[in-house]
Amino acid sequence: MERTLSLIKPDGVAKNIIGEVIKRFETAGIKVVAMKKLHLSQKQAEGFYAVHKERPFFKSLTEFMTSGPIVAMVLEGEDVIAKNRKLMGATNFKNAEEGTIRRDYATDIEKNVVHGSDAPETAAFEIAYFFSTMEIVG
Ligand code: GDP
């Protein structure tokens, strides 16, 4: 069993597709073991995306991530890191496969609806960034 962090970004929440995203996870056999809606501060967004701080889009990305509420979830399942990344689709929705969340709902390389951890180490950091162990109920 593996765990990963999923975020529905401000554009996804604004599009009112929280349920649609969760439905795709559940249909794929993935379990939501923790969930909260929150509005990140600039500092919190910068901390979350610290690995990207040298990138030219860092300021724009962190401002976007604070532009409205998000939904944070811990997903659990076999091979869930890779499974979630497959359901999400490529970072740039134009390159994302048909039927993926980003292909269906993203409007921009930045406003791409969802975030998902990309490896076990990042998943551990990102889950702990949003949730205490008491908030994760398997
Ligand atoms: P992910 O793992 O698929 O989310 O992609 P990355 O870790 O490479 O990038 C993190 C996030 O930064 C992406 O999901 C996008 O929201 C944003 N992003 C990535 N590349 C670009 C870019 O070239 N321009 C802008 N404005 N945002 C980007």
Side-chain angles (χ1 to χ4, degrees), residues 1-119:
M1 247 352 140
E2 194 174 66
R3 286 178 175 169
T4 192
L5 183 86
S6 167
L7 299 179
I8 303 178
K9 297 183 180 185
D11 59 328
V13 172
K15 285 193 172 88
N16 223 17
I17 53 168
I18 297 169
E20 171 62 30
V21 171
I22 293 174
K23 189 173 148 214
R24 291 180 184 218
F25 296 152
E26 293 186 335
T27 302
I30 293 169
K31 208 167 147 187
V32 178
V33 293
M35 175 160 65
K36 63 175 83 168
K37 188 177 189 184
L38 68 159
H39 196 144
L40 291 176
S41 68
Q42 186 63 27
K43 267 218 162 83
Q44 289 168 332
E46 288 171 6
F48 181 70
Y49 277 123
V51 290
H52 292 313
K53 67 175 182 295
E54 305 304 334
R55 303 269 199 110
F57 56 82
F58 182 68
K59 186 168 186 284
S60 170
L61 173 63
T62 53
E63 284 174 2
F64 160 57
M65 290 301 290
T66 62
S67 66
I70 63 168
V71 172
M73 285 173 272
V74 179
L75 307 180
E76 186 180 86
E78 207 176 303
D79 208 18
V80 73
I81 295 174
K83 263 190 197 157
N84 179 42
R85 298 284 302 185
K86 196 159 173 54
L87 291 172
M88 288 162 55
T91 309
N92 186 345
F93 73 102
K94 290 179 183 162
N95 304 327
E97 272 181 53
E98 295 273 348
T100 59
I101 296 168
R102 285 168 166 172
R103 178 63 174 257
D104 289 346
Y105 295 107
T107 50
D108 188 302
I109 187 163
E110 182 175 274
K111 295 173 184 62
N112 58 4
V113 187
V114 278
H115 167 86
S117 313
D118 61 4

Side-chain angles (χ1 to χ4, degrees), residues 115-132:
H115 167 86
S117 313
D118 61 4
E121 305 72 42
T122 47
F125 167 78
E126 293 177 356
I127 289 169
Y129 199 80
F130 283 96
F131 295 95
S132 72

